[in-house]
Amino acid sequence: MIAATENREGDTLMNTGVSWPDVTEAWARVLALQTKLHRWATDDPARRFDDLFNLVYDPGFLVAAWNRVQGNKGGRTAGVDGIVPRSIAPEDVRGMLAELRESVKSGEFAPERVKQKSIPKANGKVRTLGIPTMTDRIVQASLKLVLEPIFEADFMPSSYGFRPRRRAQDAIAEIHFYASRGYVQVFEADITACFDEIDHTALMERVRSRIADRRVLRLVRGFLRAGVLSEDGVNRDTFTGTPQGGILSPLLANIALSVVDEHFQHKWESLGPQWSRTKHQRAGGATMKLIRYADDFIVLVRGTRADTEALWDEVAVVLQPAGLRLSVEKTTVTHIDEGFDFLGWHIQRRRIRGHAGKTAIYTYPSTKSLTSITAKVRLLTRRASHRTLADLLRRLNPVLRGWCNYFQHGVVKRVFSYLDHFAFWRIVGWLRKRHPKLNMHTLVRRFLPGWEIRAEGIEFFRAWQVPVTRYRYRGTRIPTPWTNAAA
């Protein structure tokens, strides 16, 4: 039989019994329940949900969670349990999930320490990741499926990172939109060790503003305080922060950082409609627009540099209760004419060629982004990196395609042509090193007929052929996965 939990409006949240659905059925069930949660949260901003725990161990949610855990990149890595999710045989999955379900349902489940792993960054520093155990990842994924539609109802439209159906391109489009309308002063904020320093008490207070179910709150708190097994083999407790690498961490970070979004949204709304903001600006007042992607954010200011400099203290005060602080070295104030980098893009106001005196906002790949992709191409085309040309193309093509797809909405024709030329001749150089006894004429005849690179039916991806298209600013019209879904 299927048990039902009545909500105060007379609707029901269905909690299945012991039958295990297949992946398609599981996702359909999850979507239907998420749609209800999102609708209830949207209709009543003050509502606190007090009966969600049964969804966390619901078979449908667990199957969907397992599908997500096994399918993402982390499915190839193990936590302190030593279990790699993708190593689980299909016939063993149901038994594993059934055992985990009983553990969560009975309250015996307890999060384990995350395995610390350092990943080198492009600037020479390292990023510390925390890799949870397989079962912790499944429970985190299920918990996220329950919590995300609720908190998405509260998140501001100016936040883009780690949110469904939102892209970095949306953030860049919003910057372009407002910078083209006089918002030319830029406050570039950088939070020091954001994921490591989020205050647990402040974060849990924000979670409690929507969640009243103590068992769910206990689970969230348990993941925050699970601790870390460092790379030197030392167990360390965690009193602040949410580990990068955890499935639940991006959502929790967005909940914590939404305090910044709400602050600037309130300032924006307090000025009233457009005519009122225009009147405010003509009287010498400043208007501001925040754009945030995870822990990276900027504030565009239509006002003076002094108005923008004042944000140092203002933002610091907003972040302080969350246990966060601005980086003195990396937080800067600049003008759109000088240009700035954000999410891999360089954004700058420049004169339009052939149009005397006219200017426009240009967005194109930053120098750092171009250096990064050429370094990857150089690494993939080292002499000993691949056995055959086909192997090289299998590895290189997705890298080039992904980079071009990300940047294809900017001013990139010349950049794409340069990248295509660079990658082409790196492949030619690789062929020459692999076949040192062949002269260039023989090499071209054998491997580059018509100066086209292909092998075993795989053609070299040509960056210069990628169409450059305009990405339209969607503003507040970005739908959620649950906006038009059938409840």
Side-chain angles (χ1 to χ4, degrees):
M1 296 295 292
I2 296 179
T5 301
E6 290 289 334
N7 74 85
R8 69 187 187 189
E9 297 173 343
D11 292 317
T12 60
L13 286 179
M14 305 303 292
N15 175 32
T16 63
V18 295
S19 61
W20 290 89
D22 61 27
V23 173
T24 302
E25 293 172 337
W27 278 113
R29 184 180 304 166
V30 167
L31 178 60
L33 292 172
Q34 284 183 322
T35 302
K36 288 186 177 183
L37 291 171
H38 185 69
R39 187 180 73 241
W40 297 337
T42 302
D43 291 345
D44 186 356
R47 177 171 183 166
R48 297 180 70 222
F49 292 79
D50 58 2
D51 194 7
L52 297 173
F53 188 67
N54 60 329
L55 292 181
V56 178
Y57 61 81
D58 178 278
F61 277 75
L62 289 177
V63 169
W66 167 250
N67 178 247
R68 181 162 289 178
V69 168
Q70 190 185 40
N72 65 22
K73 292 182 180 180
R76 300 187 182 96
T77 58
V80 296
D81 58 349
I83 302 175
V84 177
R86 291 192 181 181
S87 69
I88 302 298
E91 61 270 18
D92 296 332
V93 170
R94 185 161 298 182
M96 178 270 293
L97 291 180
E99 185 176 341
L100 177 60
R101 178 179 185 272
E102 288 305 314
S103 174
V104 174
K105 182 179 180 180
S106 65
E108 295 177 359
F109 173 83
E112 297 186 57
R113 294 181 183 274
V114 299
K115 181 180 178 181
Q116 191 178 70
K117 184 175 179 62
S118 298
I119 306 294
K121 297 171 66 175
N123 59 8
K125 298 182 179 180
V126 296
R127 174 183 288 109
T128 302
L129 299 181
I131 305 173
T133 64
M134 181 186 70
T135 53
D136 282 4
R137 274 179 262 186
I138 297 170
V139 177
Q140 282 193 33
S142 183
L143 192 56
K144 183 183 179 183
L145 291 173
V146 175
L147 297 180
E148 187 172 52
I150 296 172
F151 285 96
E152 274 292 324
D154 300 333
F155 290 157
M156 298 292 116
S158 56
S159 165
Y160 294 97
F162 302 114
R163 295 184 59 189
R165 295 189 180 175
R166 288 172 169 257
R167 310 171 63 196
Q169 286 83 353
D170 288 309
I172 301 302
E174 181 163 8
I175 293 172
H176 189 282
F177 180 85
Y178 283 99
S180 301
R181 287 161 175 77
Y183 290 75
V184 295
Q185 299 288 346
V186 186
F187 181 81
E188 302 177 66
D190 187 279
I191 301 175
T192 300
C194 175
F195 280 83
D196 296 329
E197 297 190 2
I198 291 174
D199 183 82
H200 288 176
T201 301
L203 173 57
M204 290 305 299
E205 285 181 4
R206 294 189 71 83
V207 175
R208 286 192 197 94
S209 68
R210 276 299 203 175
I211 309 300
D213 192 323
R214 293 184 179 181
R215 296 165 297 178
V216 171
L217 294 172
R218 191 181 304 116
L219 263 184
V220 175
R221 192 182 302 110
F223 283 119
L224 290 173
R225 299 180 178 178
V228 173
L229 175 63
S230 65
E231 290 182 292
D232 55 8
V234 177
N235 288 325
R236 293 189 173 92
D237 294 331
T238 47
F239 301 104
T240 61
T242 176
Q244 293 190 64
I247 293 175
L248 193 60
S249 294
L251 174 61
L252 295 178
N254 268 336
I255 293 172
L257 288 169
S258 59
V259 64
V260 183
D261 308 338
E262 292 166 4
H263 173 79
F264 282 96
Q265 186 70 18
H266 175 73
K267 291 186 66 172
W268 179 266
E269 293 176 350
S270 67
L271 294 175
Q274 180 59 48
W275 67 265
S276 180
R277 288 195 295 273
T278 301
K279 181 179 179 181
H280 175 75
Q281 292 161 0
R282 288 174 177 171
T287 52
M288 305 176 182
K289 194 65 178 171
L290 173 130
I291 296 94
R292 182 174 68 82
Y293 191 95
D295 59 332
D296 293 326
F297 68 91
I298 65 166
V299 182
L300 297 175
V301 180
R302 182 164 180 168
T304 65
R305 186 177 181 89
D307 294 325
T308 314
E309 292 281 2
L311 288 174
W312 269 96
D313 293 334
E314 183 176 331
V315 173
V317 170
V318 175
L319 290 175
Q320 191 275 330
L324 301 173
R325 54 204 169 89
L326 291 172
S327 168
V328 177
E329 298 80 14
K330 296 181 180 180
T331 300
T332 60
V333 172
T334 188
H335 192 278
I336 196 70
D337 290 345
E338 302 170 42
F340 65 98
D341 291 350
F342 189 64
L343 302 180
W345 295 82
H346 185 74
I347 304 162
Q348 187 175 10
R349 185 169 67 179
R350 302 171 64 179
R351 289 186 177 182
I352 304 174
R353 289 185 179 181
H355 295 74
K358 291 187 177 181
T359 61
I361 305 298
Y362 286 81
T363 58
Y364 46 90
S366 66
T367 300
K368 183 178 178 181
S369 296
L370 185 57
T371 301
S372 176
I373 187 61
T374 54
K376 287 182 181 178
V377 173
R378 188 175 285 111
L379 180 65
L380 289 170
T381 51
R382 291 183 304 174
R383 177 178 180 178
S385 57
H386 306 282
R387 293 180 57 193
T388 66
L389 177 58
D391 290 337
L392 170 59
L393 295 178
R394 288 190 188 97
R395 291 287 305 279
L396 181 61
N397 281 352
V399 173
L400 295 174
R401 183 179 292 108
W403 196 86
C404 292
N405 286 344
Y406 182 82
F407 287 108
Q408 72 177 120
H409 304 295
V411 183
V412 288
K413 267 298 182 184
R414 289 187 177 183
V415 176
F416 283 1
S417 293
Y418 166 78
L419 179 60
D420 182 85
H421 181 271
F422 177 82
F424 183 95
W425 286 104
R426 284 293 302 182
I427 296 173
V428 173
W430 179 87
L431 285 168
R432 295 189 69 178
K433 290 176 182 178
R434 293 286 292 181
H435 305 280
K437 295 182 180 181
L438 299 181
N439 59 39
M440 194 62 182
H441 176 76
T442 305
L443 194 75
V444 171
R445 179 173 52 82
R446 186 177 299 180
F447 296 103
L448 306 169
W451 287 96
E452 294 292 334
I453 300 176
R454 63 171 61 88
E456 298 179 17
I458 304 173
E459 294 188 10
F460 169 54
F461 177 82
R462 306 311 300 262
W464 70 270
Q465 294 179 344
V466 176
V468 177
T469 60
R470 180 181 178 185
Y471 191 90
R472 296 190 177 276
Y473 172 52
R474 297 192 288 169
T476 59
R477 302 184 303 276
I478 303 176
T480 72
W482 319 286
T483 303
N484 299 317

